[in-house]
Amino acid sequence: MKLVSAWLRIPFWQRVLAGFVLGALAGWAFGHSAETWFGPLGTVYVTLIKMIAVPLVFFAVMNAIGSLHGQKSVAALGGRTFVWFAITAALAVGVGLLIGWLLQPGHGLTGLTVAPDYAVRVVPSPKNVLLDVIPTNPFKALSEGKILQVIVFAGLVGFALVKLGERVAGLRKLVGEASDTMVQVTRFVLEMTPLGTFGLIASLVGAYGFEKLLPLGTFVFALYLACAIHIVFVYGSLIALHGLNPLKFFRGAAPGMQVAFVASSSFAAMPAAIRSVTHNLGVDKDYAAFAVPLGASIKMDGCGAIYPALTSMFVAQYFGLHLEPAQYATILIASVLGSFGTAGVPGTAIVMVTLVLSAAGLPLEGIGYLVAIDRVLDMMRTMTNVTGQMVVPVIVAKESGLLDRDVYEAASSNLGVAAGEKAEVRSTEAG
């Protein structure tokens, strides 16, 4: 028991970093067999995260809508959140195009082969995407993990709780208790992150040798650089412009960013992201319960903005094509609108690139060259996505008076219990 207590006293980010480093060493030492030996650890961890994500969102959104001050407040917050989603997505496209123009990742490459498992993705029509947001069977949406459909249904139930008032006071209390219970379950599961990180990274390093990365090393470097610039300078500047300390933001957001990087899934990182923005950064928990799951569905600065923009530059350079100003504008508009329009569609990054290349009149075959290294790219793309999904709620909360400045200034990168909860734990242990 003392060993467990000592382990939990280590800051969360340090435990995750230890899992990352040890996993990389294990993957290098065991080679391809690392997938067999350590891969299941990562699989179990991601499965646990996905297990809690849907009920967490379902009860949190119902509780959030029922707790916010009426429909007008929800609409105003939602509108402001969407505006910032669009602004940061447009900035991300600009960063992707700039890095693609500076580093020229497609120049000088010859003889690339299309990945054997590549197939051209069919981009759904706007009508189909819109219709798919409405669940025909809410229980099926819950079982299949369709987050947007879950949000829509939970939001309607939340509005019903507001409309019925005191007649459903007991149900509203029950929903709040269920939401609190799922938050506690989330804490339990997130304590598995260091172990899951070890398994995921060991499996990845063992499966990918340098032979897969070297031919496209410039593209990998360009993507990581573009994402890093967007995270540090664009997000950091927006935080600073709102009178907040960027370093404290990144410290508080670190757990969500770490989970996103190793799990390569906004959906899997969502519980950690919600916990980070509320517990570490002081965002109102009811607003965060609405904004972060929404962002996990439609806020894709890495997958839906930087990656399509950079891939467009790569494809044009590889095939020796000159992009016209109108094509740059098309890439910008298609990336921003497409990230909203493909919300909830599996394989968002590939769908987005397909959509943008089609709109800009560029060869779709270029996507197939990158599929073989997609897992390595997805780590950084997803961390960018999730960072943006935390930046926007912090910005909107600051603008709307829903940010606890004291919590933000004391930003911690630990996902353990909050200060008030620690006092409660100490009093329980003393008793």
Side-chain angles (χ1 to χ4, degrees), residues 59-380:
F59 290 115
V61 170
M62 275 199 297
N63 187 48
I65 299 296
S67 301
L68 290 173
H69 299 296
Q71 299 182 22
K72 184 177 179 181
S73 174
V74 176
L77 285 172
R80 187 169 289 186
T81 302
F82 269 105
V83 168
W84 276 111
F85 281 175
I87 291 172
T88 49
L91 293 172
V93 175
V95 171
L97 291 174
L98 176 63
I99 296 301
W101 179 73
L102 290 174
L103 295 188
Q104 304 282 307
H107 273 167
L109 295 178
T110 57
L112 294 181
T113 58
V114 176
D117 56 343
Y118 169 67
V120 177
R121 295 295 300 266
V122 177
V123 178
S125 67
K127 182 185 76 172
N128 289 337
V129 171
L130 183 61
L131 291 176
D132 193 52
V133 171
I134 310 299
T136 55
N137 183 339
F139 298 103
K140 184 178 180 182
L142 286 164
S143 66
E144 294 180 351
K146 294 187 174 181
I147 289 294
L148 267 185
Q149 293 187 0
V150 171
I151 292 173
V152 169
F153 179 66
L156 287 174
V157 176
F159 280 125
L161 293 176
V162 173
K163 183 70 174 176
L164 292 172
E166 290 306 309
R167 282 183 285 173
V168 291
L171 179 57
R172 193 160 49 242
K173 180 182 178 183
L174 180 62
V175 168
E177 292 171 348
S179 180
D180 291 341
T181 301
M182 285 310 306
V183 169
Q184 183 59 59
V185 173
T186 298
R187 291 176 192 153
F188 293 151
V189 173
L190 289 179
E191 291 298 343
M192 298 289 294
T193 299
L195 188 60
T197 298
F198 173 82
L200 288 167
I201 296 302
S203 177
L204 179 72
V205 172
Y208 278 82
F210 285 109
E211 66 276 3
K212 284 188 178 180
L213 298 177
L214 285 179
L216 293 166
T218 304
F219 184 87
V220 175
F221 175 74
L223 179 82
Y224 272 64
L225 178 63
C227 289
I229 288 174
H230 189 65
I231 290 172
V232 174
F233 294 103
V234 175
Y235 291 154
S237 297
L238 290 175
I239 291 291
L241 287 173
H242 282 78
L244 299 172
N245 187 328
L247 293 178
K248 291 185 182 296
F249 168 79
F250 289 118
R251 179 173 173 79
M257 295 170 68
Q258 287 176 317
V259 174
F261 187 80
V262 298
S264 297
S265 168
S266 294
F267 185 55
M270 185 172 53
I274 293 174
R275 183 78 173 139
S276 293
V277 298
T278 54
H279 172 65
N280 295 344
L281 297 172
V283 175
D284 178 83
K285 66 181 182 65
D286 293 325
Y287 168 60
F290 160 77
V292 176
L294 182 65
S297 298
I298 67 175
K299 177 62 179 163
M300 303 288 175
D301 284 357
C303 292
I306 292 175
Y307 183 59
L310 188 61
T311 301
S312 297
M313 298 293 288
F314 167 80
V315 169
Q317 292 159 8
Y318 182 76
F319 287 100
L321 303 174
H322 176 69
L323 291 176
E324 300 293 335
Q327 287 176 297
Y328 285 111
T330 299
I331 292 168
L332 173 64
I333 295 170
S335 296
V336 174
L337 297 181
S339 62
F340 295 150
T342 57
V345 177
T348 302
I350 302 299
V351 171
M352 278 299 306
V353 172
T354 302
L355 186 153
V356 172
L357 291 184
S358 298
L362 296 171
L364 295 180
E365 298 94 315
I367 305 171
Y369 302 140
L370 303 175
V371 170
I373 59 169
D374 193 67
R375 180 67 175 83
V376 173
L377 301 175
D378 205 25
M379 297 168 71
M380 193 63 177

